[in-house]
Amino acid sequence: MRNFITFFVSSVAIVVAASTAVAGEKVLEFKLVTKPVDVKVIEAANVEGQTVVSGKFFGVAVFSDGHIGVKEFVHSGDMLKGSGSYYGYSTYTFEEGAITARYTGAVKDGKSNGEYTILSGTGAYANATGTGTIESAPNPFKGVNLLNIKLVVRTPGS
């Protein structure tokens, strides 16, 4: 009986160690350039400067080592004179897989800050969860947004 218990406990320890080795956390940090594709801006009646924005956007993620990814997303915002809240759903596609996330945030004094909640993934990011941040970056370009993105991606063991 003692040998059985020792064998059982050892086997459980090996299985737990193997599962932990497969699971992981990866931090992705990159610049994101986004551009509206199909956007509608509606001005609220009788509220000066109040707009509701909704539409599809596209973006390119650029990592410091030169590799890239793309982002397709839907976005909605409620802005009063350029400040307000926003939310949306993104799918980032990288060579190794894709990540889908929901984001929320706010724009104040021309600066954007927000948070991601990772909903799912494919490929190397299969069944991913996690969080992330969005922060506006100094932008010398007209007609596009430039953002700093950080995603903390957790993948489960199989």
Side-chain angles (χ1 to χ4, degrees):
M1 180 69 166
R2 181 176 291 191
N3 286 342
F4 175 77
I5 292 172
T6 302
F7 175 77
F8 179 76
V9 171
S10 297
S11 297
V12 169
I14 290 169
V15 169
V16 169
S19 295
T20 304
V22 174
E25 182 174 285
K26 186 172 185 179
V27 176
L28 305 175
E29 292 186 77
F30 50 88
K31 295 275 190 208
L32 178 67
V33 181
T34 67
K35 183 159 181 67
V37 174
D38 181 19
V39 177
K40 187 161 188 161
V41 179
I42 302 170
E43 294 181 15
N46 302 316
V47 184
E48 184 180 338
Q50 184 72 52
T51 59
V52 175
V53 179
S54 183
K56 291 182 179 184
F57 290 72
F58 181 80
V60 175
V62 181
F63 290 83
S64 60
D65 69 0
H67 80 275
I68 62 171
V70 295
K71 174 183 178 178
E72 294 183 72
F73 63 112
V74 293
H75 176 89
S76 185
D78 184 7
M79 302 291 162
L80 178 60
K81 298 179 182 174
S83 294
S85 62
Y86 60 83
Y87 72 95
Y89 293 87
S90 305
T91 296
Y92 285 98
T93 303
F94 306 106
E95 284 184 37
E96 63 275 12
I99 296 169
T100 298
R102 183 180 196 282
Y103 63 87
T104 60
V107 177
K108 184 174 181 183
D109 300 324
K111 297 186 186 209
S112 175
N113 286 290
E115 297 180 346
Y116 280 102
T117 300
I118 297 173
L119 304 173
S120 65
T122 64
Y125 306 113
N127 302 309
T129 61
T131 59
T133 57
I134 304 164
E135 182 180 282
S136 57
N139 185 1
F141 309 108
K142 291 186 178 192
V144 299
N145 294 307
L146 183 58
L147 304 160
N148 293 316
I149 305 296
K150 179 178 180 181
L151 299 175
V152 179
V153 185
R154 288 184 283 288
T155 53
S158 53

